[in-house]
Amino acid sequence: MMTINDLPGTYSIIGKNQADNDVNYTGTLTLSLDANQRIIAKWLIHDTQEQFGTGFFKDNIAVINFSYTGEDKTLFNGVVVYRCLTKDILDGFWSEEYGDPKHLGEERCFRVSTYLMD
C-alpha cells in the first residue's frame, strides 16, 4: 500500500482526450505536496500547455481538481482520478466541464527515474 509521500516526482504521460476520437497527447506531470499534505500538480502537455491542480490521496487513489487557460483565453476546469498501480505507474481518467460528456479522458503516467552517476 502506498502513502502520499510516495507520490512526489516527475512522470511521463500519454493520454487520450475526452472526445469520440483517437487523439492522443503526451507530456509531463510533476507532483509535490504542500504543508498540509495535499497534492500540488503541474502538467505540461505537448511542451506548450500548462495545467495546474490540487488534490488529495487515499487508498492508492489520488483525486486532483485541475484548471488551465485555453488558446482563446477560456478557463477550463476538470477533475482527474489516478489509481496508483505501483509507486511508479499511475492509471487515470478525467473529465472537464467543456469536454464531451459521453466520454472520459484517459491518462497513464510513468515515473521518470533519475540515476545518480558516481
Side-chain angles (χ1 to χ4, degrees):
M1 175 86 62
M2 286 179 60
T3 70
I4 194 167
N5 293 310
D6 294 320
L7 275 181
T10 301
Y11 298 80
S12 177
I13 58 175
I14 183 166
K16 182 177 173 186
N17 282 325
Q18 182 186 353
D20 186 18
N21 59 36
D22 289 326
V23 175
N24 291 331
Y25 61 89
T26 60
T28 58
L29 167 63
T30 304
L31 297 177
S32 59
L33 302 177
D34 71 11
N36 296 313
Q37 293 292 91
R38 293 292 183 168
I39 300 167
I40 304 297
K42 179 182 176 185
W43 293 262
L44 182 59
I45 307 300
H46 294 303
D47 292 322
T48 57
Q49 183 184 80
E50 290 184 324
Q51 300 182 8
F52 301 93
T54 59
F56 49 92
F57 178 85
K58 184 175 178 173
D59 296 333
N60 285 359
I61 295 174
V63 178
I64 303 171
N65 293 296
F66 66 88
S67 63
Y68 65 96
T69 303
E71 294 175 9
D72 62 356
K73 305 298 181 205
T74 300
L75 181 65
F76 292 87
N77 295 294
V79 64
V80 61
V81 177
Y82 291 116
R83 183 176 54 236
C84 303
L85 301 181
T86 72
K87 293 179 181 182
D88 297 324
I89 302 173
L90 311 178
D91 185 46
F93 60 93
W94 56 268
S95 179
E96 62 182 41
E97 61 186 323
Y98 299 119
D100 184 339
K102 297 181 198 136
H103 302 278
L104 291 172
E106 299 176 13
E107 203 165 89
R108 182 66 62 100
C109 308
F110 304 91
R111 186 182 301 272
V112 176
S113 297
T114 54
Y115 297 97
L116 299 177
M117 310 247 330
D118 290 333

